[in-house]
C-alpha cells in the first residue's frame, strides 16, 4: 500500500490536526469481507488503533462486557 496515494485529508481531535491518507481496505471479520475506509498518517503513532462508526460498527450490534473485559460484535440484520 502506498500511503500517500490515498485521498489526502485533515483529521482533528483534542490533540490538534494531522494529515492522513484514506484508502479502502478489505478486512475479513467473522467470515465476511468488509471494504473499510481506513486513514493512515505518518504524524500519528497511537498505542492503540481505532475503528470508526462510519463503516465498521454500523455492521454490528455491540456489547461492552466490562467485567469480562470484552467487546462482543454480532452481525446486525439492519446493515
Amino acid at each position: 500500500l502506498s500511503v500517500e496515494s490515498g485521498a489526502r485529508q485533515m483529521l482533528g481531535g483534542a490533540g490538534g490536526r494531522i494529515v492522513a491518507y484514506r484508502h479502502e481496505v478489505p478486512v475479513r471479520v467473522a467470515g465476511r469481507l468488509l471494504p473499510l475506509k481506513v486513514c493512515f498518517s505518518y504524524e500519528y503513532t497511537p498505542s492503540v488503533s481505532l475503528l470508526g462508526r462510519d463503516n465498521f460498527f454500523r455492521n454490528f450490534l455491540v456489547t461492552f462486557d466490562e467485567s469480562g473485559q470484552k467487546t462482543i460484535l454480532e452481525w446486525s440484520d439492519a446493515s
Side-chain angles (χ1 to χ4, degrees):
L1 177 74
S2 174
V3 171
E4 292 179 7
S5 71
R8 187 180 189 274
Q9 62 185 79
M10 297 297 292
L11 300 178
R17 294 171 58 90
I18 61 170
V19 174
Y21 301 90
R22 188 181 69 240
H23 294 266
E24 190 167 289
V25 177
V27 176
R28 185 171 303 280
V29 179
R32 295 190 193 179
L33 198 59
L34 299 175
L36 299 181
K37 296 174 193 163
V38 180
C39 292
F40 298 90
S41 177
Y42 294 113
E43 298 176 32
Y44 182 61
T45 54
S47 59
V48 64
S49 297
L50 301 175
L51 294 171
R53 294 177 61 191
D54 177 44
N55 65 352
F56 180 78
F57 283 117
R58 71 175 179 204
N59 297 290
F60 302 97
L61 299 173
V62 181
T63 303
F64 296 102
D65 175 0
E66 288 293 328
S67 63
Q69 296 183 328
K70 295 186 229 179
T71 303
I72 301 164
L73 303 174
E74 298 176 76
W75 286 108
S76 171
D77 293 332
S79 59

